[in-house]
Amino acid sequence: MKPLPSRLRRLDDALADLPFDEPMLLTELDGFLTGVLLCPEPIPQAEWLQGVWGIDDGSGPPFEDPLDVQWFVDAITARCTEIVRDLSRGKPQPLFDIDERNGDVLWELWIDGFAEAMALRPAIWATLAAGEDDVADALAQVSVLIGIARNDTSLDSLAINDLEVRAHTDLVDLIARLHGAGMRAGSAALAMPIKSIPTRIGRNDPCRCGSGKKSKRCCG
């Protein structure tokens, strides 16, 4: 695996510094964003950003400086753009962590982030999984990997070990299949990446953080 570029290392550090017990780190964020972008039903930015902040009460991002909000959202925007580009080329490049002790690819956090994104629209994913096409087949395999990552599987140890060894390569193929099959079906399989937030906004304009509140009552 190639070393992360500095902008992604900075984003990883910013995520780790969020004031939560279990912040969403970079590899989990990457899986989460991929799930959001692959969802057939576009998910509003304000909604899924709450999952990134780790806040579910609509109170907005945990930053004191609005410029920090701008930088953070711009960094996520840039990663969304990269994911969209790679999917359109049929070459997904998920960000997996590597175990420095033995070189193993730690794919579990990535798939957990993907599952968190699926949980935002469980009904539509369940409908797709109930079909009899390539999407349903790919989702069935994704579901198995989610179960393994979360220690919620009835598979025996030999089957688990076999799947764990090739999970990171299987995931690349499964992501490409989900995107490709969704596009062939004519569905909105790829939501547009979030747009950059204006540098200057009025006090009565929607807040730059995506909370839905007026700027003067939120980060402004």
Side-chain angles (χ1 to χ4, degrees), residues 40-84:
E41 178 183 330
I43 302 174
Q45 171 193 336
E47 179 181 348
W48 60 259
L49 269 177
Q50 294 299 316
V52 177
W53 307 139
I55 299 173
D56 58 8
D57 59 3
S59 58
F63 298 107
E64 295 182 1
D65 189 340
L67 291 179
D68 289 338
V69 179
Q70 179 69 59
W71 175 86
F72 197 91
V73 174
D74 284 349
I76 294 177
T77 300
R79 182 55 193 160
C80 283
T81 302
E82 290 176 342
I83 294 171
V84 171

Side-chain angles (χ1 to χ4, degrees), residues 10-20 23 25 62-63:
R10 185 182 175 193
L11 177 58
D12 194 24
D13 291 340
L15 288 163
D17 287 340
L18 292 178
F20 311 122
L25 301 183
F63 298 107

